[in-house]
């Protein structure tokens, strides 16, 4: 069972996408972090999955 | 984004290196120049530096981006570069964008571009005042000033007017993409892309679904179930491979098409080739029309075959059965003694007496019985007639000749396409004979062929994908019947269901926000149109942000002056919507106007010059007429004047008003 409502989950996912988008814009070479667009996309997917995992009710028995 | 300066060298008629500065404090920068001095060239320089391409309008002659004098002075085998640099600020940070294109002189004296030596970079100034080169420069420029909106903010009187009419689907798509980016609606699209579907294994839902399948495979010992799950995985992988293959092919088609457009511009730039290029375009368009007709015929064939599939089957079976029955009827007729009637046979059998008065023996009775069966209702002929009637009634006597008609038409259309291609080849040969463009034509032909091949492959891929998807659906349905009495399976299943609900909610949110922005933008545009236009108009903006402006009779505005005003209203509307939302406050865009007032009446001009500075953070105007009387003195910032040589092929820009 998820603790976050669907609406809350939508808001959190949009935040993740916003960060990924900013990261794409400011991904820098030479000194700063270096990430390709594909890597940033895959990070966004990982972050959503992580969020979903954390959101699982530990006491929930299926 | 506010532009601080622009630097140039060897760009069209600006041979010498020069740099001009712009006001970023709200005042209007004006660049004066008479006709032919290079106002439009300077305007194009902005687009070239930022996007690497230039929209040539009908006032621009030729399309060579380098300075012709510099090209002439060059020795065979030597290089020179066309250079441009823009310094701008964005969200309080400083950036520099720089582009260089390299040209060299070939042995035949022609100038050719050496793309491998081109350079494009975006640098950002960090807190320590060090300049760092940024990765993905195109992406950054697209974020700062989306390419789809560039023609709105780099306002060129003529091109703009054509754009706002929005007859092309490409221009509409590009405008929608740009507004989605500015209004952050693209975040919803990114989220939908990342959440994905059960068939996309590299997406959130795809990953969860695969985990569920793995858990299910572990939980069941049945061999059959394992096989189904294995099939599902294979099918999903195949679908994904096809999808990524198709996306890659589409990307290549797009790239090729852009290069084809570029090559066509180069090839058609010569006066002698212009007519031939126009003819070629017509022929190409005709091929497209015929190809569309073929697709339509194929679709109709498919629809007809699908709708009449049962009839086709029945008609086929009926024809075969009919032929067999007919043969039996022929055989039967051979055995019937002429003059024999059914009534006579019935009476003879009833009396069991021959016509001669002798009683009939068993053998004779059997013969009479056999003859009787040659007459209805037991005869083959009667059966055949009954069958034939039924088939007429139920099969509709569907003839597959109707389907053959589609093929005949398709063959005819393909023959026309072949003829048109021959004409194009002849046309190309004629262009080649005019000289200098052989390599460009060969490259264009190669790219066009590649695009045709890729399109055919995509069609085939999509057919295969449809087949795999229907097989996948069948397998999944069977798989669902397998017992899910397992905690892990149940958990992933629930997560998938939950995320699918999230997907629906995101779609709803996207729709809701798109509608909200559309209404707001429409309202703002309406207000500005009413303020700036001297005639009343009805303004309607659809969900794709396409604008329709009609008069009270429902006619769309056709006057170019009105289109120009409407364009300003559209730009103003976007900026007003952005400023009305806190989350968009940091987004700002410059407005760079090239000769925008020639189509306007004096009242429209006055309205626009009063209204523009109220909603645009930075305005740069290129003008051939003095604007000192039209703009309040305290609103005018830096003033520059372009000064050309007598031939108007070499110009410099000096600060101040030099007329």
């Amino acid at each position: 069972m998820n603790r976050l409502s669907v609406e809350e989950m939508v808001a959190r996912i949009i935040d993740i996408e916003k960060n990924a988008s900013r990261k794409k814009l400011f991904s820098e070479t030479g000194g700063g972090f270096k990430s390709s667009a594909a890597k940033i996309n895959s990070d966004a997917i990982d972050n959503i999955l992580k969020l979903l995992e954390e959101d699982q009710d530990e006491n929930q028995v299926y | 984004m506010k532009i601080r300066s622009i630097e140039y060298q060897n760009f069209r008629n600006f041979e010498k290196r020069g740099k001009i500065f712009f006001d970023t404090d709200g005042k209007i920068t004006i660049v004066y120049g008479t006709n032919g001095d290079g106002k439009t060239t300077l305007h194009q320089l902005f687009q070239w530096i930022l996007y690497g391409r230039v929209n040539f309008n009908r006032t621009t002659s030729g399309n060579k981006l380098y300075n012709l004098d510099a090209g002439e002075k060059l020795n065979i085998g030597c290089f020179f570069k066309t250079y441009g640099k823009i310094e701008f600020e964005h969200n309080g940070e400083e950036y520099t964008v720089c582009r260089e294109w390299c040209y060299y002189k070939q042995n035949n004296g022609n100038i050719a571009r050496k793309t491998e030596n081109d350079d494009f970079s975006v640098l950002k100034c960090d807190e320590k005042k060090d300049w760092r080169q940024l990765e993905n420069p195109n992406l950054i420029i697209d974020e700062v000033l989306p390419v789809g909106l560039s023609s709105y903010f780099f306002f060129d009187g003529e091109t703009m007017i054509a754009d706002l009419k929005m007859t092309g689907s490409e221009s509409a798509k590009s405008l929608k993409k740009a507004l989605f980016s500015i209004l952050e609606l693209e975040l919803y699209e990114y989220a939908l892309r990342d959440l994905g579907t059960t068939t996309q294994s590299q997406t959130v839902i795809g990953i969860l679904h695969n985990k569920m399948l793995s858990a299910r495979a572990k939980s069941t010992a049945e061999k059959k179930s394992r096989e189904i799950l294995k099939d599902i995985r294979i099918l999903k992988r195949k679908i994904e491979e096809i999808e990524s293959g198709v996306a890659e092919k589409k990307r290549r088609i797009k790239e090729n098409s852009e290069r084809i457009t570029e090559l066509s511009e180069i090839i058609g730039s010569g006066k002698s080739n212009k007519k031939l290029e126009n003819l070629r375009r017509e022929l190409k368009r005709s091929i497209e029309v015929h190809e569309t007709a073929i697709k339509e015929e194929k679709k109709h064939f498919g629809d007809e075959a699908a709708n009449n599939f049962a009839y086709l089957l029945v008609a086929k079976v009926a024809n075969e059965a009919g032929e067999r029955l007919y043969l039996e009827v022929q055989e039967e007729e051979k055995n019937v003694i002429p003059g024999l009637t059914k009534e006579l046979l019935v009476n003879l059998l009833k009396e069991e007496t021959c016509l001669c008065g002798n009683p009939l023996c068993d053998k004779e009775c059997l013969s009479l019985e056999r003859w009787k069966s040659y007459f209805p209702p037991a005869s083959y002929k009667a059966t055949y007639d009954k069958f034939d009637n039924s088939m007429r009634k139920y099969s509709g006597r569907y003839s597959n000749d109707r389907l053959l008609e589609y093929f005949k038409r398709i063959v005819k259309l393909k023959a026309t396409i072949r003829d048109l291609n021959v004409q194009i080849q002849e046309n190309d040969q004629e262009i080649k004979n005019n000289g200098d463009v052989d390599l460009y034509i060969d490259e264009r032909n190669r790219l066009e062929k590649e695009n045709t091949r890729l399109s055919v492959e995509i069609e085939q891929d999509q057919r295969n994908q449809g087949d795999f998807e229907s097989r996948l659906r069948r397998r999944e349905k069977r798989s669902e019947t397998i017992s899910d009495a397992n905690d892990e399976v149940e958990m992933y299943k629930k997560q998938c269901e939950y995320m699918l609900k999230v997907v629906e909610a995101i779609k709803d949110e996207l729709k809701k926000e798109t509608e909200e922005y559309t209404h707001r933008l429409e309202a703002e545009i309406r207000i500005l149109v009413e303020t700036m236009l001297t005639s009343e108009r009805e303004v309607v903006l659809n969900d794709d942000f396409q604008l329709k402006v009609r008069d009270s009779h429902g006619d769309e505005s056709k006057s170019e002056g009105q289109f120009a005003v409407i364009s300003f209203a559209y730009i103003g509307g976007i900026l007003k919507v952005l400023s009305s939302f806190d989350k968009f406050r940091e987004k700002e865009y410059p407005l760079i106007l090239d000769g925008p007032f020639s189509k306007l009446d004096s009242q429209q001009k006055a309205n626009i010059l009063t209204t523009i500075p109220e909603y645009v953070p930075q305005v740069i105007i290129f003008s051939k007429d003095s604007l000192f009387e039209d703009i309040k003195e305290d609103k005018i910032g830096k003033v520059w004047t372009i000064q050309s040589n007598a031939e108007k092929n070499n110009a410099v820009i000096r600060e101040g008003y030099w007329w």
Side-chain angles (χ1 to χ4, degrees), chain B residues 528-576:
Chain B
L528 287 167
V529 164
E530 279 168 13
T531 315
M532 298 195 286
L533 207 63
T534 45
S535 45
E536 279 185 24
R537 285 288 180 275
E538 183 203 359
V539 175
V540 182
L541 195 68
N542 70 14
D543 290 345
D544 287 336
F545 297 104
Q546 286 180 282
L547 184 70
K548 301 259 184 230
V549 180
R550 302 191 187 96
D551 63 16
S552 56
H553 299 295
D555 278 346
E556 280 193 61
S557 301
K558 289 186 180 67
S559 135
E560 292 196 333
Q562 284 170 348
F563 268 116
V565 174
I566 291 159
S567 308
F568 282 120
Y570 201 116
I571 298 163
I574 294 169
L575 293 166
K576 282 191 159 190

Side-chain angles (χ1 to χ4, degrees), chain B residues 339-356:
Chain B
L340 193 64
T341 64
K342 192 176 179 184
E343 287 74 26
L344 175 63
L345 290 168
V346 170
N347 280 323
L348 287 173
L349 285 165
K350 192 178 166 192
E351 299 296 327
E352 291 187 344
T353 309
C354 179
L355 290 170
C356 59

Side-chain angles (χ1 to χ4, degrees), chain B residues 7-20:
Chain B
E7 217 174 318
Y8 48 83
Q9 187 177 21
N10 281 334
F11 185 80
R12 294 176 63 85
N13 45 341
F14 297 102
E15 184 187 5
K16 285 186 188 158
R17 188 175 279 239
K19 183 174 184 177
I20 57 176

